Amino acid sequence: MTVSLDQLRRCHVAVDLGAARTRVYVKGLGLVVDEPSAAAVNTRTGSLIAVGALAEQMTGRTPDYIRVVRPVSGGTVVDIEMAQRMLRQLLGEKLRRQLRRKPRLRAAACTPHDSDPLAQRAAVETMVGLGARRVELVDTLIAAAVGCGLPVEQPTATMIMVCGAATTQIAVLSLGSIVTAVRIPIGGDAIDHAVIQHLRQYHELMLPSQSVRPLQLALSGNGLTPHGPAVTEIHGRDVATGLARSVQVDTEAVRQALHRPLTAVLDGLGKVLRDCPPDLVADLADCGIMMVGGSALLPGLDQMLREATGMPVQIAERPDVCSVLGLGAMLDGKIRPMVLDPLSC
């Protein structure tokens, strides 16, 4: 583990600040916050108007003096002050009072794999702004593996793929540590953007940025599999006239557009397998790949990975909250690492 479990058991709150959603786990209460990482600000007064789901609904629908901001990008806090204000509002006054009663409040936070010191410092400063006296940072890959029930503390290989909104992280774990890992700047947002660009280029149609994910709208739930309907009707705005228009879209062409950004994910998966020791790769042939993260629910993505690698691929039971639940399990002391005592001569 990146941090000792004894230190994590002393923490009172765990936070997973994601590019898409923010989740907070409080010791003894469980998961108390699961909201979009968005905040609406009045640019004239600087006051906060809304956070979470309400701010998400305002995106693209606000007047000039209201701006919807996202203080987290790619799993990294890019606006510390706004992230602190957003978290305070999401927690609520009652829960904040409970946390303030702790004499020395400790917090744990997820950080992307191989994050730079500046990104780690931003996460620490965000937690300190909430009143934390000490902040422990845990690699998202390890937290997600614990949250989905993988035996990360055993001397066997486990492979996990964290599919986020901005990045995809892939790792092979053994004995509670990362053997080899890679972080790819491709996530659910890039996949959605590929669909939007395809419809704009070939059909001169602009999709709304909210209400429904354009990817699921375009594929009607059949994802990357070729067994869906050949044609799907899409509603949007005409690029030239600005009027509402519907077009019949060839779903096969949309699937081809999706494969372009996903090629980078397959390349990263191959790199991890090439860098992994042969004994661990042999273990992976049996246990396969565990997919977590909100973008893991992309229909057909698991089948695509299964065909590309020849290994079994599973999606976690609750893939979107695995990271914060893993942190919560560490806070509650549910994880017992394998004890490796030094041998006496």
Side-chain angles (χ1 to χ4, degrees), residues 41-45 49 58 60-68:
V41 184
N42 187 326
T43 56
R44 295 173 181 173
T45 63
I49 297 175
M58 292 182 180
R61 298 184 172 95
T62 60
D64 293 340
Y65 66 92
I66 296 178
R67 184 166 58 97
V68 177

Side-chain angles (χ1 to χ4, degrees), residues 113-164:
H113 174 70
D114 202 20
S115 57
D116 57 78
L118 189 61
Q120 296 178 10
R121 181 61 183 267
V124 171
E125 290 294 331
T126 302
M127 297 297 103
V128 169
L130 294 177
R133 299 296 184 89
R134 183 183 176 94
V135 181
E136 310 291 352
L137 300 180
V138 180
D139 197 302
T140 302
L141 290 164
I142 295 179
V146 172
C148 63
L150 292 178
V152 294
E153 72 280 1
Q154 298 300 320
T156 58
T158 54
M159 191 171 196
I160 188 165
M161 175 183 289
V162 180
C163 307

Side-chain angles (χ1 to χ4, degrees), residues 89-206:
Q89 292 299 320
L90 289 176
L91 285 172
E93 183 61 31
K94 181 179 178 181
L95 190 54
R96 290 206 309 273
R97 281 201 303 267
Q98 293 181 15
L99 294 176
R100 280 198 295 265
R101 295 194 189 107
K102 307 292 182 183
R104 288 187 61 83
L105 180 64
R106 290 177 175 234
C110 288
T111 56
H113 174 70
D114 202 20
S115 57
D116 57 78
L118 189 61
Q120 296 178 10
R121 181 61 183 267
V124 171
E125 290 294 331
T126 302
M127 297 297 103
V128 169
L130 294 177
R133 299 296 184 89
R134 183 183 176 94
V135 181
E136 310 291 352
L137 300 180
V138 180
D139 197 302
T140 302
L141 290 164
I142 295 179
V146 172
C148 63
L150 292 178
V152 294
E153 72 280 1
Q154 298 300 320
T156 58
T158 54
M159 191 171 196
I160 188 165
M161 175 183 289
V162 180
C163 307
T167 61
T168 298
Q169 304 174 66
I170 308 170
V172 174
L173 310 177
S174 180
L175 289 174
S177 299
I178 296 175
V179 178
T180 178
V182 67
R183 182 169 58 150
I184 308 157
I186 298 293
D189 292 343
I191 296 172
D192 286 350
H193 183 70
V195 177
I196 292 174
Q197 288 298 106
H198 172 80
L199 295 176
R200 185 185 180 98
Q201 180 178 357
Y202 293 99
H203 298 277
E204 297 183 351
L205 192 74
M206 294 181 64

Side-chain angles (χ1 to χ4, degrees), residues 223-235:
L224 305 177
T225 61
H227 307 299
V231 177
T232 303
E233 186 177 10
I234 305 294
H235 306 280

Side-chain angles (χ1 to χ4, degrees), residues 1-334:
M1 301 289 179
T2 53
V3 183
S4 72
L5 290 175
D6 289 335
Q7 291 175 322
L8 287 172
R9 276 194 286 268
R10 299 191 189 108
C11 294
H12 306 95
V13 60
V15 179
D16 179 16
L17 277 170
R21 299 186 73 87
T22 294
R23 300 175 177 92
V24 181
Y25 184 100
V26 177
K27 197 172 186 177
L29 297 178
L31 186 62
V32 296
V33 173
D34 185 3
E35 294 281 342
S37 302
V41 184
N42 187 326
T43 56
R44 295 173 181 173
T45 63
S47 60
L48 208 59
I49 297 175
V51 295
L54 182 56
E56 180 87 359
Q57 294 174 4
M58 292 182 180
T59 304
R61 298 184 172 95
T62 60
D64 293 340
Y65 66 92
I66 296 178
R67 184 166 58 97
V68 177
V69 298
R70 293 186 175 274
V72 184
S73 176
T76 302
V77 179
V78 294
D79 189 338
I80 297 175
E81 181 184 358
M82 187 56 63
Q84 292 172 351
R85 296 174 67 184
M86 181 185 72
L87 275 174
R88 291 193 197 103
Q89 292 299 320
L90 289 176
L91 285 172
E93 183 61 31
K94 181 179 178 181
L95 190 54
R96 290 206 309 273
R97 281 201 303 267
Q98 293 181 15
L99 294 176
R100 280 198 295 265
R101 295 194 189 107
K102 307 292 182 183
R104 288 187 61 83
L105 180 64
R106 290 177 175 234
C110 288
T111 56
H113 174 70
D114 202 20
S115 57
D116 57 78
L118 189 61
Q120 296 178 10
R121 181 61 183 267
V124 171
E125 290 294 331
T126 302
M127 297 297 103
V128 169
L130 294 177
R133 299 296 184 89
R134 183 183 176 94
V135 181
E136 310 291 352
L137 300 180
V138 180
D139 197 302
T140 302
L141 290 164
I142 295 179
V146 172
C148 63
L150 292 178
V152 294
E153 72 280 1
Q154 298 300 320
T156 58
T158 54
M159 191 171 196
I160 188 165
M161 175 183 289
V162 180
C163 307
T167 61
T168 298
Q169 304 174 66
I170 308 170
V172 174
L173 310 177
S174 180
L175 289 174
S177 299
I178 296 175
V179 178
T180 178
V182 67
R183 182 169 58 150
I184 308 157
I186 298 293
D189 292 343
I191 296 172
D192 286 350
H193 183 70
V195 177
I196 292 174
Q197 288 298 106
H198 172 80
L199 295 176
R200 185 185 180 98
Q201 180 178 357
Y202 293 99
H203 298 277
E204 297 183 351
L205 192 74
M206 294 181 64
L207 290 182
S209 60
Q210 289 299 310
S211 70
V212 288
R213 288 192 58 169
L215 175 64
Q216 297 178 358
L217 175 69
L219 298 181
S220 300
N222 291 282
L224 305 177
T225 61
H227 307 299
V231 177
T232 303
E233 186 177 10
I234 305 294
H235 306 280
R237 190 183 75 180
D238 190 277
V239 174
T241 64
L243 301 176
R245 184 165 63 93
S246 299
V247 295
Q248 297 291 328
V249 178
D250 181 12
T251 53
E252 178 60 31
V254 176
R255 280 192 288 269
Q256 293 298 324
L258 289 179
H259 277 279
R260 297 189 189 100
L262 291 176
T263 301
V265 176
L266 295 178
D267 292 342
L269 184 60
K271 182 180 184 302
V272 169
L273 292 174
R274 287 192 300 270
D275 295 343
C276 189
D279 290 342
L280 295 181
V281 175
D283 293 341
L284 295 176
D286 298 326
C287 61
I289 306 170
M290 178 66 74
M291 295 176 60
V292 302
S295 299
L297 298 173
L298 172 65
L301 180 57
D302 55 340
Q303 180 63 28
M304 177 183 175
L305 295 176
R306 199 174 292 116
E307 294 174 355
T309 61
M311 296 190 301
V313 179
Q314 303 177 26
I315 301 177
E317 185 177 351
R318 299 179 64 187
D320 50 340
V321 294
C322 280
S323 296
V324 71
L325 291 182
L327 277 181
M330 297 179 198
L331 265 61
D332 293 335
K334 297 179 181 178

